[in-house]
Amino acid sequence: MALTHSTCEFYEFTKGNGIRHTLIAPYQPRSYGQADVFVETFQQCFKAEGSNSMKKSLARVLFSCRTTPNSVTGQTPAYF
């Protein structure tokens, strides 16, 4: 499979930022539901932040997401 320029950029970006890119089966209710809930939660937090600076709001929301313990494991995403 040949990699396009944008594919290489994406791969380098994720690798350089320590992001693990995980693929999920399309329309699998469990995986799709988790992604959908995350997007909804992220949007609510971003709107509630209300800061004039988009960068500042994004930084605060992401910090909050990374430091909030998971209800099942009791660990924060930053722990892993």
Side-chain angles (χ1 to χ4, degrees), residues 29-61:
R30 183 172 176 215
S31 299
Y32 189 74
Q34 288 174 341
D36 200 33
V37 167
F38 174 77
V39 169
E40 186 176 322
T41 302
F42 184 82
Q43 288 174 341
Q44 288 174 353
C45 291
F46 198 76
K47 288 177 186 176
E49 175 61 34
S51 175
N52 291 337
S53 169
M54 185 178 269
K55 282 186 176 184
K56 190 182 227 181
S57 293
L58 181 60
R60 286 183 178 164
V61 169

Side-chain angles (χ1 to χ4, degrees), residues 3-74:
L3 298 177
T4 64
H5 179 67
S6 60
T7 304
C8 291
E9 280 185 55
F10 179 76
Y11 174 76
E12 291 299 320
F13 175 80
T14 56
K15 184 178 176 184
N17 289 290
I19 299 169
R20 186 180 71 198
H21 182 221
T22 305
L23 300 176
I24 60 172
Y27 307 108
Q28 182 183 17
R30 183 172 176 215
S31 299
Y32 189 74
Q34 288 174 341
D36 200 33
V37 167
F38 174 77
V39 169
E40 186 176 322
T41 302
F42 184 82
Q43 288 174 341
Q44 288 174 353
C45 291
F46 198 76
K47 288 177 186 176
E49 175 61 34
S51 175
N52 291 337
S53 169
M54 185 178 269
K55 282 186 176 184
K56 190 182 227 181
S57 293
L58 181 60
R60 286 183 178 164
V61 169
L62 290 175
F63 179 77
S64 176
C65 289
R66 297 287 292 161
T67 58
T68 303
N70 182 293
S71 61
V72 176
T73 64

